């Protein structure tokens, strides 16, 4: 049997291939086995080396021939896990010394995937917000649909600063408590920092962000967290 692989690039459907109708016919006749493969992405997980200092580092250092001044520096960070480059700066040790200690099992050197998290220059203190009777009524209508697993479109009307976002937050909280996910669409990118800040106060590490000014790596990491279901509020 002939194996035909159709290579696909994102946004490019011009690669030379058999016509779809011919492929379908040949597959039906079991003359070929056709596979559709997506080419590897240019974006990869970001990996960095970390140094883990064991809690019993004092005993291990006594068995080594490292000088007392260097030994004392390392012991300051026992039980911690520190980025390799930061550990170099904190201790003043050379990378060759650290690598030698790792080879002897005195320190633990590990490569780990780290997240590229976009930074937002905005922060506001969390506020206690008491919903008005109208807001409670609107929220009750929405949450009733959530409890009943019923899809329904709701339009919330109110002037700027009237508390519409708080209704969104409360509705999403109800969704989150039922192990479901939520997507929040923001009308313009300039509103992203303040919205992220407010949602972070409410949901902590369960949120992730997508926008056009993020790097490909940052967007890849955000997508991967959603794919793994680490993040449920986008």
């Amino acid at each position: 049997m002939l194996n035909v692989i159709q290579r696909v690039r994102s946004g490019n459907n011009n690669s030379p291939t058999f016509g779809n109708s011919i492929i379908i016919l040949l597959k039906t006749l079991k003359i070929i086995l056709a596979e559709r493969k997506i080419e590897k992405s240019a974006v990869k997980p970001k990996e960095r080396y970390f140094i883990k200092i064991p809690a019993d580092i004092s005993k291990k250092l006594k068995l080594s021939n490292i000088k007392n001044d260097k030994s004392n520096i390392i012991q300051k960070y026992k039980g911690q896990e520190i980025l390799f480059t930061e550990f170099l700066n904190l201790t003043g040790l050379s990378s060759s010394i650290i690598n030698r200690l790792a080879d002897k099992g005195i320190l633990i050197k590990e490569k780990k995937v780290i997240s590229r998290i976009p930074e937002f220059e905005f922060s506001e203190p969390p506020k206690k917000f008491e919903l008005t009777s109208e807001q409670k009524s609107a929220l009750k209508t929405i949450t009733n649909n959530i409890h009943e697993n019923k899809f329904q479109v709701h339009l919330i009307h109110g002037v700027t600063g009237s508390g519409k976002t708080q209704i969104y937050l409360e509705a999403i909280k109800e969704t989150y408590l039922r192990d479901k996910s939520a997507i929040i669409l923001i009308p313009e990118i300039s509103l992203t920092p303040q919205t992220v800040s407010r949602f972070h106060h409410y949901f902590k590490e369960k949120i992730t962000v997508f926008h056009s000014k993020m790097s490909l790596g940052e967007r890849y990491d955000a997508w991967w967290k959603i794919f793994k279901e680490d993040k449920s509020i986008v």
Side-chain angles (χ1 to χ4, degrees), residues 77-90:
Y77 304 100
K78 66 180 180 180
Q80 297 185 41
E81 186 176 67
I82 305 172
L83 190 66
F84 184 85
T85 51
E86 289 183 8
F87 191 68
L88 286 173
N89 294 329
L90 288 171

Side-chain angles (χ1 to χ4, degrees), residues 113-124:
V113 174
I114 63 172
S115 294
R116 288 162 281 212
I117 302 173
E119 295 182 2
F120 300 100
E121 294 180 2
F122 186 92
S123 180
E124 64 177 9

Side-chain angles (χ1 to χ4, degrees), residues 32 72 83 174 186 197 212:
I32 66 167
N72 292 335
L83 190 66
E174 287 294 319
I186 305 172
S197 176
S212 58

Side-chain angles (χ1 to χ4, degrees), residues 85-223:
T85 51
E86 289 183 8
F87 191 68
L88 286 173
N89 294 329
L90 288 171
T91 61
L93 298 170
S94 67
S95 57
S96 60
I97 290 176
I98 295 172
N99 286 330
R100 189 165 68 248
L101 292 173
D103 291 338
K104 291 180 178 179
I106 297 171
L107 299 176
I108 301 169
K109 183 180 179 182
E110 293 179 332
K111 184 185 282 188
K112 292 189 174 184
V113 174
I114 63 172
S115 294
R116 288 162 281 212
I117 302 173
E119 295 182 2
F120 300 100
E121 294 180 2
F122 186 92
S123 180
E124 64 177 9
K127 300 175 184 177
K128 289 187 177 181
F129 202 102
E130 187 67 31
L131 294 178
T132 65
S133 58
E134 286 183 329
Q135 289 168 334
K136 287 178 181 178
S137 177
L139 179 62
K140 189 174 187 301
T141 303
I142 297 169
T143 53
N144 282 344
N145 291 151
I146 294 171
H147 297 165
E148 296 170 5
N149 269 338
K150 181 181 177 183
F151 175 78
Q152 182 68 46
V153 176
H154 299 276
L155 176 62
I156 301 174
H157 175 71
V159 298
T160 302
S162 61
K164 297 187 296 297
T165 301
Q166 192 64 30
I167 297 176
Y168 306 151
L169 287 165
E170 296 293 342
I172 292 167
K173 183 179 179 181
E174 287 294 319
T175 304
Y176 174 69
L177 290 174
R178 281 160 177 76
D179 293 325
K180 295 185 177 181
S181 56
I183 298 176
I184 301 91
L185 303 179
I186 305 172
E188 54 183 275
I189 199 169
S190 62
L191 298 174
T192 304
Q194 67 190 67
T195 307
V196 170
S197 176
R198 189 171 300 178
F199 272 77
H200 186 265
H201 286 311
Y202 230 71
F203 299 107
K204 304 302 179 186
E205 303 303 321
K206 281 296 173 183
I207 67 169
T208 192
V209 184
F210 276 100
H211 64 74
S212 58
K213 290 187 179 179
M214 288 167 60
S215 68
L216 283 176
E218 288 170 339
R219 278 182 269 181
Y220 172 87
D221 287 351
W223 171 84

Side-chain angles (χ1 to χ4, degrees), residues 38-67:
I38 300 174
E39 291 188 341
K40 289 183 179 179
S41 170
V43 185
K44 296 180 180 179
K46 186 176 182 180
E47 296 181 324
R48 291 291 183 270
Y49 279 107
F50 284 80
I51 295 295
K52 186 174 182 180
I53 303 91
D56 61 347
I57 188 67
S58 301
K59 295 179 182 177
K60 291 187 175 184
L61 287 171
K62 285 179 182 178
L63 300 175
S64 70
N65 58 358
I66 190 168
K67 294 179 180 178

